mmCIF file of all heavy atoms in Angstrom:
data_model
loop_
_atom_site.group_PDB
_atom_site.id
_atom_site.type_symbol
_atom_site.label_atom_id
_atom_site.label_comp_id
_atom_site.label_asym_id
_atom_site.label_seq_id
_atom_site.Cartn_x
_atom_site.Cartn_y
_atom_site.Cartn_z
ATOM 1 N N ALA A 16 -79.096 38.757 -120.558
ATOM 2 C CA ALA A 16 -78.137 38.240 -121.520
ATOM 3 C C ALA A 16 -78.846 37.553 -122.659
ATOM 4 O O ALA A 16 -79.992 37.195 -122.628
ATOM 5 C CB ALA A 16 -77.178 37.246 -120.812
ATOM 6 N N ILE A 17 -78.045 37.346 -123.771
ATOM 7 C CA ILE A 17 -78.504 36.601 -124.906
ATOM 8 C C ILE A 17 -77.746 35.244 -124.880
ATOM 9 O O ILE A 17 -76.449 35.247 -124.863
ATOM 10 C CB ILE A 17 -78.246 37.325 -126.193
ATOM 11 C CG1 ILE A 17 -78.957 38.681 -126.216
ATOM 12 C CG2 ILE A 17 -78.709 36.517 -127.379
ATOM 13 C CD1 ILE A 17 -78.467 39.570 -127.300
ATOM 14 N N ARG A 18 -78.452 34.179 -124.866
ATOM 15 C CA ARG A 18 -77.761 32.868 -124.797
ATOM 16 C C ARG A 18 -78.306 31.904 -125.898
ATOM 17 O O ARG A 18 -79.454 31.674 -125.975
ATOM 18 C CB ARG A 18 -78.038 32.221 -123.358
ATOM 19 C CG ARG A 18 -77.527 33.002 -122.230
ATOM 20 C CD ARG A 18 -77.905 32.418 -120.852
ATOM 21 N NE ARG A 18 -77.469 33.339 -119.798
ATOM 22 C CZ ARG A 18 -76.246 33.387 -119.283
ATOM 23 N NH1 ARG A 18 -75.302 32.623 -119.751
ATOM 24 N NH2 ARG A 18 -76.061 34.200 -118.273
ATOM 25 N N ALA A 19 -77.341 31.479 -126.701
ATOM 26 C CA ALA A 19 -77.746 30.559 -127.855
ATOM 27 C C ALA A 19 -77.004 29.202 -127.603
ATOM 28 O O ALA A 19 -75.826 29.198 -127.255
ATOM 29 C CB ALA A 19 -77.422 31.158 -129.216
ATOM 30 N N TYR A 20 -77.683 28.113 -127.965
ATOM 31 C CA TYR A 20 -77.144 26.832 -127.727
ATOM 32 C C TYR A 20 -77.314 25.992 -128.939
ATOM 33 O O TYR A 20 -78.393 25.895 -129.574
ATOM 34 C CB TYR A 20 -77.905 26.075 -126.536
ATOM 35 C CG TYR A 20 -77.801 26.821 -125.249
ATOM 36 C CD1 TYR A 20 -78.796 27.808 -124.912
ATOM 37 C CD2 TYR A 20 -76.830 26.651 -124.363
ATOM 38 C CE1 TYR A 20 -78.754 28.538 -123.766
ATOM 39 C CE2 TYR A 20 -76.731 27.301 -123.114
ATOM 40 C CZ TYR A 20 -77.671 28.271 -122.863
ATOM 41 O OH TYR A 20 -77.637 28.986 -121.686
ATOM 42 N N LEU A 43 -75.379 37.982 -134.034
ATOM 43 C CA LEU A 43 -75.969 38.546 -132.764
ATOM 44 C C LEU A 43 -75.053 39.509 -132.099
ATOM 45 O O LEU A 43 -75.524 40.391 -131.353
ATOM 46 C CB LEU A 43 -76.336 37.442 -131.789
ATOM 47 C CG LEU A 43 -77.487 36.534 -132.241
ATOM 48 C CD1 LEU A 43 -77.673 35.475 -131.106
ATOM 49 C CD2 LEU A 43 -78.766 37.230 -132.448
ATOM 50 N N ARG A 52 -75.791 44.170 -124.043
ATOM 51 C CA ARG A 52 -76.177 42.850 -123.436
ATOM 52 C C ARG A 52 -75.060 41.838 -123.610
ATOM 53 O O ARG A 52 -74.371 41.842 -124.607
ATOM 54 C CB ARG A 52 -77.452 42.316 -123.939
ATOM 55 C CG ARG A 52 -78.660 43.227 -123.815
ATOM 56 C CD ARG A 52 -79.845 42.779 -124.598
ATOM 57 N NE ARG A 52 -80.386 41.527 -124.150
ATOM 58 C CZ ARG A 52 -81.474 40.934 -124.639
ATOM 59 N NH1 ARG A 52 -82.022 41.496 -125.708
ATOM 60 N NH2 ARG A 52 -81.886 39.809 -124.195
ATOM 61 N N VAL A 108 -84.078 22.453 -121.986
ATOM 62 C CA VAL A 108 -84.558 23.844 -122.187
ATOM 63 C C VAL A 108 -85.404 24.336 -121.008
ATOM 64 O O VAL A 108 -85.347 25.487 -120.604
ATOM 65 C CB VAL A 108 -85.329 24.009 -123.536
ATOM 66 C CG1 VAL A 108 -84.415 23.727 -124.709
ATOM 67 C CG2 VAL A 108 -86.583 23.242 -123.585
ATOM 68 N N ARG A 112 -84.324 27.584 -118.899
ATOM 69 C CA ARG A 112 -85.228 28.652 -118.636
ATOM 70 C C ARG A 112 -85.312 28.956 -117.121
ATOM 71 O O ARG A 112 -85.413 30.098 -116.632
ATOM 72 C CB ARG A 112 -86.619 28.262 -119.206
ATOM 73 C CG ARG A 112 -87.621 29.290 -118.960
ATOM 74 C CD ARG A 112 -87.282 30.746 -119.246
ATOM 75 N NE ARG A 112 -87.146 30.974 -120.695
ATOM 76 C CZ ARG A 112 -86.502 32.054 -121.214
ATOM 77 N NH1 ARG A 112 -85.922 32.926 -120.392
ATOM 78 N NH2 ARG A 112 -86.377 32.146 -122.535
ATOM 79 N N ASP A 118 -83.410 35.950 -119.456
ATOM 80 C CA ASP A 118 -82.507 36.068 -120.606
ATOM 81 C C ASP A 118 -83.185 35.600 -121.878
ATOM 82 O O ASP A 118 -84.195 34.869 -121.828
ATOM 83 C CB ASP A 118 -81.260 35.217 -120.434
ATOM 84 C CG ASP A 118 -80.322 35.750 -119.313
ATOM 85 O OD1 ASP A 118 -80.601 36.856 -118.815
ATOM 86 O OD2 ASP A 118 -79.394 35.078 -119.005
ATOM 87 N N SER A 119 -82.685 36.080 -122.997
ATOM 88 C CA SER A 119 -83.189 35.634 -124.303
ATOM 89 C C SER A 119 -82.418 34.326 -124.658
ATOM 90 O O SER A 119 -81.221 34.288 -124.728
ATOM 91 C CB SER A 119 -82.906 36.656 -125.384
ATOM 92 O OG SER A 119 -83.568 37.841 -125.098
ATOM 93 N N LEU A 120 -83.209 33.243 -124.722
ATOM 94 C CA LEU A 120 -82.629 31.910 -124.968
ATOM 95 C C LEU A 120 -82.956 31.473 -126.406
ATOM 96 O O LEU A 120 -84.134 31.573 -126.861
ATOM 97 C CB LEU A 120 -83.187 30.888 -123.977
ATOM 98 C CG LEU A 120 -82.998 31.171 -122.505
ATOM 99 C CD1 LEU A 120 -83.509 30.022 -121.634
ATOM 100 C CD2 LEU A 120 -81.515 31.483 -122.211
ATOM 101 N N ILE A 121 -81.961 30.910 -127.143
ATOM 102 C CA ILE A 121 -82.089 30.521 -128.481
ATOM 103 C C ILE A 121 -81.514 29.122 -128.651
ATOM 104 O O ILE A 121 -80.431 28.846 -128.133
ATOM 105 C CB ILE A 121 -81.375 31.417 -129.495
ATOM 106 C CG1 ILE A 121 -81.916 32.888 -129.380
ATOM 107 C CG2 ILE A 121 -81.417 30.897 -130.913
ATOM 108 C CD1 ILE A 121 -81.061 33.909 -130.118
ATOM 109 N N PHE A 122 -82.274 28.229 -129.304
ATOM 110 C CA PHE A 122 -81.741 26.878 -129.537
ATOM 111 C C PHE A 122 -81.612 26.763 -131.050
ATOM 112 O O PHE A 122 -82.486 27.004 -131.817
ATOM 113 C CB PHE A 122 -82.791 25.836 -129.039
ATOM 114 C CG PHE A 122 -82.245 24.450 -128.789
ATOM 115 C CD1 PHE A 122 -81.484 24.204 -127.670
ATOM 116 C CD2 PHE A 122 -82.337 23.473 -129.762
ATOM 117 C CE1 PHE A 122 -80.886 22.927 -127.493
ATOM 118 C CE2 PHE A 122 -81.851 22.239 -129.552
ATOM 119 C CZ PHE A 122 -81.074 21.944 -128.428
ATOM 120 N N ILE A 123 -80.345 26.299 -131.448
ATOM 121 C CA ILE A 123 -79.997 26.284 -132.859
ATOM 122 C C ILE A 123 -80.173 24.833 -133.369
ATOM 123 O O ILE A 123 -79.658 23.846 -132.738
ATOM 124 C CB ILE A 123 -78.483 26.655 -132.980
ATOM 125 C CG1 ILE A 123 -78.282 28.067 -132.328
ATOM 126 C CG2 ILE A 123 -78.131 26.719 -134.482
ATOM 127 C CD1 ILE A 123 -76.775 28.365 -132.112
ATOM 128 N N ILE A 124 -80.825 24.695 -134.452
ATOM 129 C CA ILE A 124 -81.022 23.338 -135.055
ATOM 130 C C ILE A 124 -80.970 23.395 -136.528
ATOM 131 O O ILE A 124 -81.138 24.495 -137.166
ATOM 132 C CB ILE A 124 -82.423 22.751 -134.615
ATOM 133 C CG1 ILE A 124 -83.559 23.545 -135.012
ATOM 134 C CG2 ILE A 124 -82.417 22.436 -133.144
ATOM 135 C CD1 ILE A 124 -84.869 22.943 -134.736
ATOM 136 N N LEU A 132 -89.458 17.633 -135.367
ATOM 137 C CA LEU A 132 -89.707 17.897 -133.969
ATOM 138 C C LEU A 132 -90.890 17.145 -133.425
ATOM 139 O O LEU A 132 -90.967 16.889 -132.174
ATOM 140 C CB LEU A 132 -89.939 19.418 -133.812
ATOM 141 C CG LEU A 132 -88.657 20.269 -133.901
ATOM 142 C CD1 LEU A 132 -89.005 21.739 -133.759
ATOM 143 C CD2 LEU A 132 -87.671 19.878 -132.725
ATOM 144 N N ARG A 140 -93.132 21.614 -128.030
ATOM 145 C CA ARG A 140 -93.213 22.537 -126.848
ATOM 146 C C ARG A 140 -91.921 23.201 -126.638
ATOM 147 O O ARG A 140 -91.839 23.987 -125.642
ATOM 148 C CB ARG A 140 -93.677 21.788 -125.606
ATOM 149 C CG ARG A 140 -95.068 21.175 -125.748
ATOM 150 C CD ARG A 140 -95.639 20.840 -124.348
ATOM 151 N NE ARG A 140 -95.646 21.999 -123.451
ATOM 152 C CZ ARG A 140 -95.754 21.879 -122.179
ATOM 153 N NH1 ARG A 140 -95.917 20.706 -121.597
ATOM 154 N NH2 ARG A 140 -95.765 22.947 -121.376
ATOM 155 N N LEU A 141 -90.869 23.024 -127.426
ATOM 156 C CA LEU A 141 -89.604 23.674 -127.161
ATOM 157 C C LEU A 141 -89.784 25.170 -127.181
ATOM 158 O O LEU A 141 -89.194 25.903 -126.350
ATOM 159 C CB LEU A 141 -88.594 23.334 -128.256
ATOM 160 C CG LEU A 141 -88.105 21.847 -128.302
ATOM 161 C CD1 LEU A 141 -87.083 21.758 -129.418
ATOM 162 C CD2 LEU A 141 -87.501 21.465 -126.995
ATOM 163 N N THR A 142 -90.704 25.744 -127.996
ATOM 164 C CA THR A 142 -90.890 27.193 -128.088
ATOM 165 C C THR A 142 -91.657 27.719 -126.919
ATOM 166 O O THR A 142 -91.869 28.930 -126.796
ATOM 167 C CB THR A 142 -91.601 27.511 -129.393
ATOM 168 O OG1 THR A 142 -92.767 26.664 -129.528
ATOM 169 C CG2 THR A 142 -90.672 27.339 -130.553
ATOM 170 N N ASP A 143 -92.038 26.842 -125.995
ATOM 171 C CA ASP A 143 -92.635 27.368 -124.679
ATOM 172 C C ASP A 143 -91.533 27.923 -123.790
ATOM 173 O O ASP A 143 -91.869 28.619 -122.859
ATOM 174 C CB ASP A 143 -93.355 26.274 -123.874
ATOM 175 C CG ASP A 143 -94.691 25.854 -124.562
ATOM 176 O OD1 ASP A 143 -95.151 26.527 -125.512
ATOM 177 O OD2 ASP A 143 -95.267 24.837 -124.165
ATOM 178 N N TYR A 144 -90.337 27.572 -124.119
ATOM 179 C CA TYR A 144 -89.178 27.890 -123.303
ATOM 180 C C TYR A 144 -88.095 28.742 -123.961
ATOM 181 O O TYR A 144 -87.309 29.472 -123.406
ATOM 182 C CB TYR A 144 -88.543 26.679 -122.653
ATOM 183 C CG TYR A 144 -89.614 25.891 -121.957
ATOM 184 C CD1 TYR A 144 -90.250 24.842 -122.558
ATOM 185 C CD2 TYR A 144 -89.947 26.125 -120.561
ATOM 186 C CE1 TYR A 144 -91.227 24.063 -121.876
ATOM 187 C CE2 TYR A 144 -90.956 25.423 -119.968
ATOM 188 C CZ TYR A 144 -91.558 24.292 -120.594
ATOM 189 O OH TYR A 144 -92.491 23.622 -119.995
ATOM 190 N N VAL A 145 -87.842 28.462 -125.349
ATOM 191 C CA VAL A 145 -86.739 29.044 -125.999
ATOM 192 C C VAL A 145 -87.186 29.436 -127.419
ATOM 193 O O VAL A 145 -88.267 29.000 -127.942
ATOM 194 C CB VAL A 145 -85.604 28.072 -126.157
ATOM 195 C CG1 VAL A 145 -84.960 27.739 -124.757
ATOM 196 C CG2 VAL A 145 -85.999 26.780 -126.895
ATOM 197 N N ASN A 146 -86.379 30.264 -128.007
ATOM 198 C CA ASN A 146 -86.620 30.618 -129.471
ATOM 199 C C ASN A 146 -85.776 29.551 -130.249
ATOM 200 O O ASN A 146 -84.931 28.894 -129.703
ATOM 201 C CB ASN A 146 -86.020 32.026 -129.759
ATOM 202 C CG ASN A 146 -86.687 33.092 -128.987
ATOM 203 O OD1 ASN A 146 -87.817 33.429 -129.248
ATOM 204 N ND2 ASN A 146 -85.977 33.636 -128.032
ATOM 205 N N LEU A 147 -86.136 29.459 -131.499
ATOM 206 C CA LEU A 147 -85.502 28.507 -132.386
ATOM 207 C C LEU A 147 -84.752 29.282 -133.533
ATOM 208 O O LEU A 147 -85.379 30.169 -134.153
ATOM 209 C CB LEU A 147 -86.426 27.465 -132.982
ATOM 210 C CG LEU A 147 -87.098 26.515 -132.013
ATOM 211 C CD1 LEU A 147 -88.010 25.496 -132.744
ATOM 212 C CD2 LEU A 147 -86.076 25.754 -131.134
ATOM 213 N N TRP A 148 -83.519 28.890 -133.841
ATOM 214 C CA TRP A 148 -82.763 29.413 -134.942
ATOM 215 C C TRP A 148 -82.560 28.158 -135.929
ATOM 216 O O TRP A 148 -81.783 27.372 -135.528
ATOM 217 C CB TRP A 148 -81.476 30.057 -134.465
ATOM 218 C CG TRP A 148 -80.756 30.824 -135.603
ATOM 219 C CD1 TRP A 148 -80.361 30.325 -136.839
ATOM 220 C CD2 TRP A 148 -80.190 32.096 -135.520
ATOM 221 N NE1 TRP A 148 -79.660 31.282 -137.551
ATOM 222 C CE2 TRP A 148 -79.514 32.397 -136.731
ATOM 223 C CE3 TRP A 148 -80.167 33.130 -134.539
ATOM 224 C CZ2 TRP A 148 -78.842 33.617 -136.977
ATOM 225 C CZ3 TRP A 148 -79.563 34.292 -134.741
ATOM 226 C CH2 TRP A 148 -78.902 34.539 -135.998
ATOM 227 N N ILE A 149 -83.165 28.212 -136.987
ATOM 228 C CA ILE A 149 -83.160 27.052 -137.910
ATOM 229 C C ILE A 149 -82.333 27.381 -139.169
ATOM 230 O O ILE A 149 -82.517 28.306 -139.885
ATOM 231 C CB ILE A 149 -84.534 26.615 -138.366
ATOM 232 C CG1 ILE A 149 -85.443 26.264 -137.134
ATOM 233 C CG2 ILE A 149 -84.502 25.417 -139.366
ATOM 234 C CD1 ILE A 149 -86.861 25.996 -137.512
ATOM 235 N N LEU A 191 -95.174 31.094 -135.633
ATOM 236 C CA LEU A 191 -94.126 31.697 -134.811
ATOM 237 C C LEU A 191 -92.919 32.197 -135.622
ATOM 238 O O LEU A 191 -92.006 32.830 -135.062
ATOM 239 C CB LEU A 191 -93.625 30.652 -133.778
ATOM 240 C CG LEU A 191 -94.620 30.075 -132.854
ATOM 241 C CD1 LEU A 191 -94.011 29.044 -131.942
ATOM 242 C CD2 LEU A 191 -95.299 31.114 -132.037
ATOM 243 N N ILE A 193 -90.565 34.460 -137.656
ATOM 244 C CA ILE A 193 -90.308 35.889 -137.846
ATOM 245 C C ILE A 193 -89.276 36.072 -138.865
ATOM 246 O O ILE A 193 -88.627 35.069 -139.340
ATOM 247 C CB ILE A 193 -89.930 36.554 -136.458
ATOM 248 C CG1 ILE A 193 -88.898 35.784 -135.732
ATOM 249 C CG2 ILE A 193 -91.191 36.719 -135.651
ATOM 250 C CD1 ILE A 193 -87.503 36.005 -136.117
ATOM 251 N N SER A 195 -86.524 38.380 -138.725
ATOM 252 C CA SER A 195 -85.242 38.970 -138.288
ATOM 253 C C SER A 195 -84.793 38.374 -136.973
ATOM 254 O O SER A 195 -85.628 38.225 -136.073
ATOM 255 C CB SER A 195 -85.466 40.519 -138.123
ATOM 256 O OG SER A 195 -84.329 41.036 -137.493
ATOM 257 N N PRO A 196 -83.490 38.060 -136.910
ATOM 258 C CA PRO A 196 -83.062 37.470 -135.604
ATOM 259 C C PRO A 196 -83.151 38.493 -134.475
ATOM 260 O O PRO A 196 -83.202 38.062 -133.287
ATOM 261 C CB PRO A 196 -81.555 37.208 -135.847
ATOM 262 C CG PRO A 196 -81.167 37.988 -137.055
ATOM 263 C CD PRO A 196 -82.412 38.104 -137.858
ATOM 264 N N THR A 197 -83.309 39.762 -134.813
ATOM 265 C CA THR A 197 -83.470 40.769 -133.656
ATOM 266 C C THR A 197 -84.754 40.495 -132.897
ATOM 267 O O THR A 197 -84.801 40.653 -131.712
ATOM 268 C CB THR A 197 -83.553 42.191 -134.299
ATOM 269 O OG1 THR A 197 -82.414 42.462 -135.074
ATOM 270 C CG2 THR A 197 -83.736 43.261 -133.236
ATOM 271 N N ASP A 198 -85.799 39.953 -133.600
ATOM 272 C CA ASP A 198 -87.071 39.632 -132.933
ATOM 273 C C ASP A 198 -86.944 38.477 -132.003
ATOM 274 O O ASP A 198 -87.734 38.333 -131.108
ATOM 275 C CB ASP A 198 -88.100 39.329 -134.015
ATOM 276 C CG ASP A 198 -88.496 40.579 -134.846
ATOM 277 O OD1 ASP A 198 -88.353 41.703 -134.353
ATOM 278 O OD2 ASP A 198 -88.971 40.398 -135.992
ATOM 279 N N LEU A 199 -85.893 37.700 -132.188
ATOM 280 C CA LEU A 199 -85.658 36.563 -131.221
ATOM 281 C C LEU A 199 -85.206 37.082 -129.839
ATOM 282 O O LEU A 199 -85.440 36.385 -128.828
ATOM 283 C CB LEU A 199 -84.637 35.574 -131.785
ATOM 284 C CG LEU A 199 -84.901 34.831 -133.051
ATOM 285 C CD1 LEU A 199 -83.711 33.867 -133.353
ATOM 286 C CD2 LEU A 199 -86.168 34.056 -132.908
ATOM 287 N N ILE A 200 -84.622 38.211 -129.854
ATOM 288 C CA ILE A 200 -83.984 38.691 -128.600
ATOM 289 C C ILE A 200 -84.638 39.946 -128.048
ATOM 290 O O ILE A 200 -84.200 40.591 -127.100
ATOM 291 C CB ILE A 200 -82.449 38.957 -128.758
ATOM 292 C CG1 ILE A 200 -82.143 39.944 -129.844
ATOM 293 C CG2 ILE A 200 -81.736 37.645 -129.007
ATOM 294 C CD1 ILE A 200 -80.709 40.262 -129.969
ATOM 295 N N THR A 201 -85.820 40.245 -128.646
ATOM 296 C CA THR A 201 -86.554 41.358 -128.098
ATOM 297 C C THR A 201 -87.204 40.889 -126.828
ATOM 298 O O THR A 201 -87.895 39.806 -126.785
ATOM 299 C CB THR A 201 -87.690 41.788 -129.084
ATOM 300 O OG1 THR A 201 -87.120 42.214 -130.290
ATOM 301 C CG2 THR A 201 -88.543 42.994 -128.504
ATOM 302 N N PRO A 202 -87.168 41.599 -125.727
ATOM 303 C CA PRO A 202 -87.679 41.151 -124.485
ATOM 304 C C PRO A 202 -89.139 40.806 -124.641
ATOM 305 O O PRO A 202 -89.945 41.585 -125.323
ATOM 306 C CB PRO A 202 -87.480 42.380 -123.529
ATOM 307 C CG PRO A 202 -86.241 43.015 -124.047
ATOM 308 C CD PRO A 202 -86.322 42.845 -125.519
ATOM 309 N N SER A 203 -89.583 39.703 -124.077
ATOM 310 C CA SER A 203 -90.970 39.284 -124.308
ATOM 311 C C SER A 203 -91.969 40.232 -123.918
ATOM 312 O O SER A 203 -93.020 40.415 -124.491
ATOM 313 C CB SER A 203 -91.221 37.971 -123.564
ATOM 314 O OG SER A 203 -90.379 36.934 -124.100
ATOM 315 N N MET A 206 -92.684 42.586 -126.645
ATOM 316 C CA MET A 206 -93.470 41.961 -127.708
ATOM 317 C C MET A 206 -94.952 41.868 -127.293
ATOM 318 O O MET A 206 -95.858 42.125 -128.104
ATOM 319 C CB MET A 206 -92.977 40.525 -127.950
ATOM 320 C CG MET A 206 -91.571 40.462 -128.544
ATOM 321 S SD MET A 206 -91.394 41.207 -130.189
ATOM 322 C CE MET A 206 -92.398 39.955 -131.137
ATOM 323 N N LEU A 213 -98.373 36.305 -128.639
ATOM 324 C CA LEU A 213 -97.600 35.296 -127.772
ATOM 325 C C LEU A 213 -98.580 34.830 -126.699
ATOM 326 O O LEU A 213 -99.304 35.603 -126.071
ATOM 327 C CB LEU A 213 -96.400 35.935 -127.186
ATOM 328 C CG LEU A 213 -95.406 36.490 -128.193
ATOM 329 C CD1 LEU A 213 -94.184 37.059 -127.497
ATOM 330 C CD2 LEU A 213 -94.939 35.445 -129.223
ATOM 331 N N ALA A 216 -95.170 34.792 -121.382
ATOM 332 C CA ALA A 216 -93.969 35.643 -121.371
ATOM 333 C C ALA A 216 -92.766 34.992 -121.982
ATOM 334 O O ALA A 216 -91.807 35.694 -122.403
ATOM 335 C CB ALA A 216 -93.633 36.030 -119.896
ATOM 336 N N HIS A 217 -92.711 33.726 -122.076
ATOM 337 C CA HIS A 217 -91.552 33.037 -122.588
ATOM 338 C C HIS A 217 -91.786 32.362 -123.999
ATOM 339 O O HIS A 217 -91.051 31.539 -124.446
ATOM 340 C CB HIS A 217 -91.020 32.019 -121.666
ATOM 341 C CG HIS A 217 -90.458 32.588 -120.424
ATOM 342 N ND1 HIS A 217 -89.501 33.545 -120.449
ATOM 343 C CD2 HIS A 217 -90.729 32.376 -119.104
ATOM 344 C CE1 HIS A 217 -89.195 33.921 -119.114
ATOM 345 N NE2 HIS A 217 -89.932 33.203 -118.382
ATOM 346 N N GLN A 218 -92.950 32.626 -124.580
ATOM 347 C CA GLN A 218 -93.284 31.964 -125.895
ATOM 348 C C GLN A 218 -92.183 32.398 -126.897
ATOM 349 O O GLN A 218 -91.912 33.565 -127.063
ATOM 350 C CB GLN A 218 -94.626 32.466 -126.372
ATOM 351 C CG GLN A 218 -95.057 31.891 -127.750
ATOM 352 C CD GLN A 218 -95.269 30.434 -127.672
ATOM 353 O OE1 GLN A 218 -96.118 29.967 -126.931
ATOM 354 N NE2 GLN A 218 -94.521 29.671 -128.463
ATOM 355 N N GLY A 219 -91.563 31.378 -127.451
ATOM 356 C CA GLY A 219 -90.558 31.656 -128.398
ATOM 357 C C GLY A 219 -90.985 31.915 -129.809
ATOM 358 O O GLY A 219 -92.136 31.679 -130.175
ATOM 359 N N ARG A 220 -90.063 32.486 -130.572
ATOM 360 C CA ARG A 220 -90.247 32.699 -131.979
ATOM 361 C C ARG A 220 -89.274 31.807 -132.736
ATOM 362 O O ARG A 220 -88.326 31.173 -132.198
ATOM 363 C CB ARG A 220 -90.043 34.178 -132.350
ATOM 364 C CG ARG A 220 -91.308 35.026 -132.093
ATOM 365 C CD ARG A 220 -91.349 35.557 -130.673
ATOM 366 N NE ARG A 220 -90.253 36.427 -130.370
ATOM 367 C CZ ARG A 220 -90.041 37.031 -129.258
ATOM 368 N NH1 ARG A 220 -90.834 36.639 -128.155
ATOM 369 N NH2 ARG A 220 -89.030 37.866 -128.982
ATOM 370 N N ILE A 221 -89.434 31.846 -134.039
ATOM 371 C CA ILE A 221 -88.568 31.007 -134.922
ATOM 372 C C ILE A 221 -87.972 31.805 -136.013
ATOM 373 O O ILE A 221 -88.755 32.533 -136.778
ATOM 374 C CB ILE A 221 -89.378 29.833 -135.520
ATOM 375 C CG1 ILE A 221 -89.902 28.934 -134.428
ATOM 376 C CG2 ILE A 221 -88.494 28.980 -136.529
ATOM 377 C CD1 ILE A 221 -90.799 27.838 -134.905
ATOM 378 N N TYR A 222 -86.595 31.790 -136.193
ATOM 379 C CA TYR A 222 -85.965 32.409 -137.244
ATOM 380 C C TYR A 222 -85.373 31.413 -138.235
ATOM 381 O O TYR A 222 -84.597 30.518 -137.760
ATOM 382 C CB TYR A 222 -84.853 33.390 -136.758
ATOM 383 C CG TYR A 222 -84.028 33.971 -137.820
ATOM 384 C CD1 TYR A 222 -84.592 34.836 -138.765
ATOM 385 C CD2 TYR A 222 -82.694 33.712 -137.982
ATOM 386 C CE1 TYR A 222 -83.823 35.383 -139.831
ATOM 387 C CE2 TYR A 222 -81.903 34.228 -139.004
ATOM 388 C CZ TYR A 222 -82.472 35.043 -139.899
ATOM 389 O OH TYR A 222 -81.719 35.631 -140.941
#
Side-chain angles (χ1 to χ4, degrees):
I17 303 168
R18 301 178 185 275
Y20 301 89
L43 291 179
R52 300 170 66 180
V108 298
R112 176 50 67 196
D118 292 352
S119 297
L120 303 184
I121 300 170
F122 201 77
I123 308 164
I124 59 176
L132 283 176
R140 294 197 59 194
L141 293 183
T142 50
D143 288 350
Y144 306 94
V145 297
N146 300 291
L147 298 181
W148 187 308
I149 300 174
L191 301 178
I193 46 84
S195 168
T197 304
D198 292 336
L199 295 182
I200 59 177
T201 301
S203 297
M206 294 294 291
L213 302 182
H217 294 306
Q218 178 68 59
R220 279 85 66 186
I221 298 173
Y222 174 63

